[in-house]
Each structure stands twice: as C-alpha cells, then as structure tokens.
Amino acid sequence: MRNAFGLNIPQTVADACDPTRMAVLIYDMQVGIVGQIPDGDKIVTACVRLRDAARANGFRVFYTRHMSLPIAVSGVAQLRTAMQWQRVDDPKELRTSFPQGSPQYQLVPELTPNSDEVVFDKITMSAFAATPLDIALRDCGIDSYAIAGIAMEVGIEPTVRHSLDLAYLPIMVTDACGAGHPMAAQRSYATLEFAGGSLMTDTATLIDLMSRP
C-alpha cells in the first residue's frame, strides 16, 4: 500500500482486500445464462465459494441480473442489440429473452441472496450503467470490488472498463468468470491487462486473503 497526500493507494489484491473498502460483485448468474456456458456448473461453484467467504468475513455482496424489456417498450438500441443476439433481421420477429419473473431471469438457486444482500436489475452490459450500484458502493466507502460471474467477454469487461472511469479498482476472479467464447474472453483479459488499472486473481487466493485475521 502506498500513501500520498493523505491517501492510501491500493496497488495489489492484498491491499484492496479489506471489508471496509472492497465488495464482491456476482454478475448475471442467471438460470438462462449459466445454462448457455459449457462449464456453467464450475462457475456456479466458484461463485458460491467466493460468496460464502465474503459472508463469513464481513465483505458486502452485490448481485446483478440482466432484464429484457418487453419488445413493445424497447428503444432503438435495445431492439438493435436484441436483433443481433437473436440473429433476426425483422424486429417483429423478436422475443423477450429475459422478462422479469421468468424462470431464465432468476439467479441460480445456489446463489440466492440473503437478507443482507441485494440484486440490481439492468438492461445494459455494464453493471454501473443506469443502476444504483455506484451510489450504493460509494455510500459504503467501497472503492474496490472483486467481480465473478458470466460472461467475461460480454458483460464483465464493459463493467470493469466503466468502473475504471468511475475511479474503482476492479479485481477479476478469473476462475470464477465464465465465458461463452473462450478466445474472446482471453482477448478481454489481455486488453484489460494492457490498459492497466485493474487486477486479476483466482478464487483460492482471494478467499485466503479475505480470511486473514
């Protein structure tokens, strides 16, 4: 930890891993998303381990959940994205992929939040775009977070990039971040490492740090 101008400047995972300044963010671990990933069960297990360690050691836990708007109230960007993901040319052929309350919209049962945790719904890829996450973290004095979930190349990278501009220190838990396209995920990691400002670790290392006396 470096100190300057009355500020503590975390530079490593160990520096950031303090319940007074770091939270755990579980990204989009929904039934309809986990089922699309070949190693989805492995990612669920890693996220559960991370979440349980956070609970046991006083770290705050936040979850995100992707929500699809009804087609009739979707705007231009939402329709364009849905057309790309569903591979259709006519908006009239679109269906709502993750409507609120649907089975595929729900978090997997293993990651059901407890009464001290919260889920933020979003219609964007970045967990910080148009959600209460930023103000919720800042209000708790949180300036770092460990992120795990699905998918690295689609939603976690945009979340990390967005949060860097919001002055957070993001920590990607690599073996707890799933991907639909492994090569695209590797490009995401490489690009973020080159750009700097974020950190990477694995579940076992982070749990050890979280469990320090």
Side-chain angles (χ1 to χ4, degrees):
M1 183 85 72
R2 295 292 185 178
N3 308 96
F5 311 108
L7 301 172
N8 296 321
I9 307 168
Q11 295 178 288
T12 66
V13 177
D15 288 343
C17 192
D18 180 329
T20 66
R21 74 182 312 158
M22 189 189 88
V24 170
L25 178 61
I26 306 294
Y27 185 96
D28 288 10
M29 289 296 288
Q30 294 161 259
V31 171
I33 295 176
V34 172
Q36 298 180 44
I37 304 298
D39 60 349
D41 290 345
K42 175 184 173 184
I43 302 304
V44 170
T45 298
C47 287
V48 168
R49 290 180 60 211
L50 186 62
R51 187 274 315 274
D52 289 351
R55 288 177 174 176
N57 293 284
F59 290 80
R60 293 176 174 89
V61 181
F62 297 83
Y63 305 77
T64 65
R65 186 169 49 194
H66 193 78
M67 174 185 71
S68 300
L69 295 177
I71 300 302
V73 296
S74 295
V76 173
Q78 291 292 309
L79 292 172
R80 182 170 54 238
T81 299
M83 290 166 66
Q84 291 172 340
W85 282 106
Q86 296 179 33
R87 295 180 173 84
V88 300
D89 293 325
D90 187 345
K92 294 178 182 177
E93 298 177 16
L94 290 173
R95 56 182 174 78
T96 304
S97 298
F98 292 94
Q100 279 185 314
S102 65
Q104 65 268 28
Y105 157 87
Q106 306 297 339
L107 295 176
V108 294
E110 298 93 328
L111 288 166
T112 299
N114 67 21
S115 59
D116 291 327
E117 299 162 356
V118 66
V119 184
F120 292 137
D121 284 351
K122 60 183 181 58
I123 61 172
T124 57
M125 295 301 106
S126 169
F128 288 90
T131 75
L133 181 60
D134 182 36
I135 186 61
L137 294 178
R138 291 187 190 282
D139 208 28
C140 292
I142 300 295
D143 61 8
S144 308
Y145 67 93
I147 186 167
I150 298 172
M152 178 64 207
E153 75 278 23
V154 176
I156 293 176
E157 180 185 356
T159 296
V160 169
R161 285 183 172 278
H162 190 173
S163 70
L164 288 169
D165 282 339
L166 294 173
Y168 287 96
L169 174 57
I171 302 166
M172 291 163 281
V173 188
T174 56
D175 60 338
C177 292
H181 297 83
M183 291 184 66
Q186 288 305 313
R187 289 193 294 270
S188 293
Y189 284 123
T191 299
L192 290 169
E193 184 175 19
F194 177 80
S198 60
L199 298 172
M200 301 181 198
T201 190
D202 57 65
T203 303
T205 299
L206 187 58
I207 288 175
D208 284 345
L209 289 170
M210 294 169 77
S211 304
R212 291 178 302 185

